[in-house]
């Protein structure tokens, strides 16, 4: 669906989308500008507001790291947003022929772990103390699209 026919849609990320996402952390804009050339990034919109920015950053030709910024209003649209995110992510991973995709989340954030699990990533590691940007304890989730033996 195009933006003209729906109040909920996903677009390819543009730096200008950040003007519609004042809720993002202060370091998001320079970080997104830095990784843009090696990432596939998309923006989730609801009624003209950015509620999600999701992406997959290529670390190596066979390995990508996925990540998500979600506005608290995204929760009200979680089913639609999750289906779209999963479809985009899986299509991109398939086209890129990746062997490994991973993501990290705060250990105590149950909803983030559920989000990653439903995207197809399974918890790989135990607690990683002080791994997060503010010293949070994180856990890693992983997906092997071609199977564990590649």
């Amino acid at each position: 669906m195009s933006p003209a026919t729906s109040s909920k849609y996903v677009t390819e990320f543009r730096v200008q989308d950040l003007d519609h996402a004042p809720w993002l952390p202060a370091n998001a804009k320079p970080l997104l500008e830095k990784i843009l050339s090696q990432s596939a990034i998309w923006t989730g919109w609801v009624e003209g507001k950015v509620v999600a920015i999701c992406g997959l950053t290529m670390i190596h030709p066979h390995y990508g790291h996925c990540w998500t910024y979600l506005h608290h209003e995204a929760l009200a649209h979680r089913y639609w947003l999750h289906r779209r995110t999963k479809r985009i992510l899986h299509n991109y991973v398939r086209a890129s022929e990746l062997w490994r995709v991973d993501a990290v989340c705060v250990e105590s954030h149950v909803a983030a772990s559920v989000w990653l699990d439903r995207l197809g990533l399974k918890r790989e590691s135990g607690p990683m103390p002080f791994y997060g940007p503010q010293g949070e304890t994180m856990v890693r989730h992983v997906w092997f699209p071609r199977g564990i033996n590649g």
Side-chain angles (χ1 to χ4, degrees):
M1 267 189 182
S2 74
T5 61
S6 176
S7 65
K8 295 191 255 188
Y9 54 95
V10 174
T11 61
E12 185 175 331
F13 173 79
R14 298 174 313 131
V15 174
Q16 296 83 354
D17 295 349
L18 298 173
D19 296 338
H20 301 276
W23 51 269
L24 285 169
N27 68 339
K29 184 175 182 177
L31 178 61
L32 289 169
E33 289 173 336
K34 183 178 180 179
I35 66 171
L36 189 56
S37 66
Q38 70 253 26
S39 300
I41 306 174
W42 53 96
T43 305
W45 299 83
V46 174
E47 298 176 7
K49 295 180 187 175
V50 172
V51 297
I53 298 177
C54 307
L56 183 101
T57 301
M58 300 303 293
I59 307 300
H60 302 297
H62 62 277
Y63 163 45
H65 179 78
C66 62
W67 48 268
T68 306
Y69 289 110
L70 293 175
H71 186 272
H72 66 86
E73 290 180 15
L75 187 60
H77 307 281
R78 65 187 174 272
Y79 300 111
W80 163 82
L81 185 59
H82 193 273
R83 283 191 303 270
R84 292 288 293 146
T85 299
K86 185 174 183 176
R87 185 179 319 132
I88 292 167
L89 176 65
H90 283 243
N91 286 342
Y92 185 84
V93 166
R94 186 175 20 257
S96 300
E97 299 182 357
L98 296 179
W99 302 344
R100 178 187 175 95
V101 176
D102 70 14
V104 295
C105 68
V106 175
E107 180 183 38
S108 61
H109 198 293
V110 175
S113 286
V114 170
W115 170 269
L116 292 171
D117 186 60
R118 291 182 179 161
L119 284 177
L121 289 87
K122 302 301 177 200
R123 186 170 169 158
E124 178 183 48
S125 72
M128 301 183 303
F130 308 111
Y131 191 86
Q134 308 297 307
E136 304 92 339
T137 297
M138 309 290 277
V139 292
R140 183 179 322 277
H141 291 70
V142 67
W143 169 34
F144 300 102
R146 299 168 64 172
I148 191 69
N149 296 318

